[in-house]
Amino acid sequence: MPPTTPCAGKFSPSPYNNNNNLHKYHQPMEASYGDMCYHDNSLVSGSLEALIQHLVPTVDYYPDRSYVFTFLLSSRLFLNPYELMSRVCHLCVEQHRSGDLLLDKFRIRDVAPKIVQLLTEWTETFPYDFRDERMMRCLKEMSHHLARGDEYSWRAMQQMTQRLIRRLAALGQYEEAIATLNASAAERPTALKTKQQNGQRSDVLSISDDAFILAQQLTHIELDRLSFIGPEEFIQAFGVKDPLDNHKSFFRKRKTTNLEAYVAWFNRLSYLVATEICMPVKKKHRARALEFFIDVARECFNIGNFNSLMAIITGMNMSPVSRLKKTWSKVNTDKFDILEHQMDPSSNFSNYRTALRGATQRSITAHSNQEKIVIPFFSLLIKDIYFLNEGCASRLPSGHVNFEKLWDLAKQVSEFLVWRQVTCPFERDRKILQYLVTTPVFTEDELHLASYESEGPENHMEKDSRRSLRSSLLHREHR
């Protein structure tokens, strides 16, 4: 076995690093143990085989929880989760095999609780890995193996498997629900196609004219969808085959697309905001819609829902909306200017990052679920993780895995998992929720045409654009 020097706690607070009493070793600043290297008691690199071995518990050793999370998260940069599972199960079996059946039974009994603990952490933190039938087969085989020596651990394995099956069933139901909602939203009723025909169409203000209530319902949608994003999806989004590995198949078919679905929700909300503003025929109604969404955005900021906030700002900054100068002239934009300043992309979104740190600190000391809410601007979070991965090699010149990089990836993702597990404290309003996720929205071309019909073209370029859009949309209707 490789040394059991603990990995220093790299990220806190987090449910994936609760070992507050880290062992202290009197060792040099830098030290090597076989194929693993440490600096100031922190693991910095190691061969892939040694790292896998370091994951496997023994009678007198269990890996630090931060190590378990970090390696299970990022090992998929180097090998398929099934390959890791196979190796771990093989090592768990082989390390207590002596050839003496009675002795083997005692050895299994002694180590079985720790094996169950490791597999429990895996199934609860990365349940989507087990959509692979081979992973479930490994679980079943390990369960049978443990049953030979420890009935208590066998029962724990059965309970763990049942929890996993329920989680995967919930994921399937969620995916079906999202597909149904998307299909409903994609239907294009005639009333949506031209601005003049929309006198009978409901708008958001007819559903709810309370900005705080609408912000609460947006927060429900955000937290619901966040809860189904698996931490591994961040890594698999940019995972590539490591050239030093010779596996024929690296990433098989993606197990989930929750991350992409969440980004699609952001885009939908932006287009919904733009549609609601461009839709009304009368200028005063457009101005009222603008003012309402500014208030909704401010309430989202106060709640800590930065993703909906940014989606609303994005919708209001789309060119079909921003060109409505006569409409904007009827609106007091002071509150909007403050929100735009908070989400200003300059200096790498420094204002937003400051606000995010403030919300995160509030959530740490929170006395209520409402104070715990932190919903990050999701596209920026993905971008940060992507550049963290791209900006640093996964392998060192020695061939070792660069574990310092893996710590940093795990820190980013573990923070997201803390935010993801908050239960939304607000009462659900099903009518508002249904409207937000299913009401059809204008396409980009339809938005531009609606904008020109609200406030006519100001120059020859806009006139040509309107003429082209009318012709194009008319052609599509008659196909």
Side-chain angles (χ1 to χ4, degrees), residues 269-279 315-316 318 321 447:
L269 179 54
S270 296
Y271 275 84
L272 174 63
V273 169
T275 299
E276 294 287 340
I277 295 168
C278 290
M279 180 80 74
M316 297 176 79
M318 286 183 179
V321 177
L447 278 175

Side-chain angles (χ1 to χ4, degrees), residues 341-369:
H341 177 71
Q342 289 289 348
M343 304 304 285
D344 186 347
S346 62
S347 301
N348 194 18
F349 289 89
S350 61
N351 294 337
Y352 157 71
R353 293 183 190 278
T354 299
L356 180 65
R357 283 194 297 272
T360 301
Q361 189 59 42
R362 178 187 67 185
S363 72
I364 293 170
T365 59
H367 299 292
S368 68
N369 271 349

Side-chain angles (χ1 to χ4, degrees), residues 11 59 72 93 188 206 266 297 308 340 381 413 418 442 461:
F11 29 87
V59 173
L72 290 180
V93 171
R188 313 291 299 167
S206 69
F266 177 96
S308 289
E340 276 203 307
L381 175 63
V413 176
V418 175
F442 278 153
M461 186 180 297

Side-chain angles (χ1 to χ4, degrees), residues 181 202-209 213-214 217 221 268 272 427-439:
L181 291 173
S202 295
D203 62 13
V204 70
L205 283 162
S206 69
I207 304 299
S208 174
D209 60 359
I213 295 295
L214 194 76
Q217 302 313 302
I221 296 170
R268 171 181 166 75
L272 174 63
E427 184 177 348
R428 287 180 182 270
D429 186 313
R430 296 196 176 279
K431 186 177 181 182
I432 298 175
L433 290 171
Q434 185 76 5
Y435 184 87
L436 290 171
V437 297
T438 64
T439 193

Side-chain angles (χ1 to χ4, degrees), residues 52 69 151 161 170 246 317 345 376 462:
I52 294 172
F69 174 71
E151 184 178 351
T161 302
N246 296 315
N317 279 327
E462 288 193 346

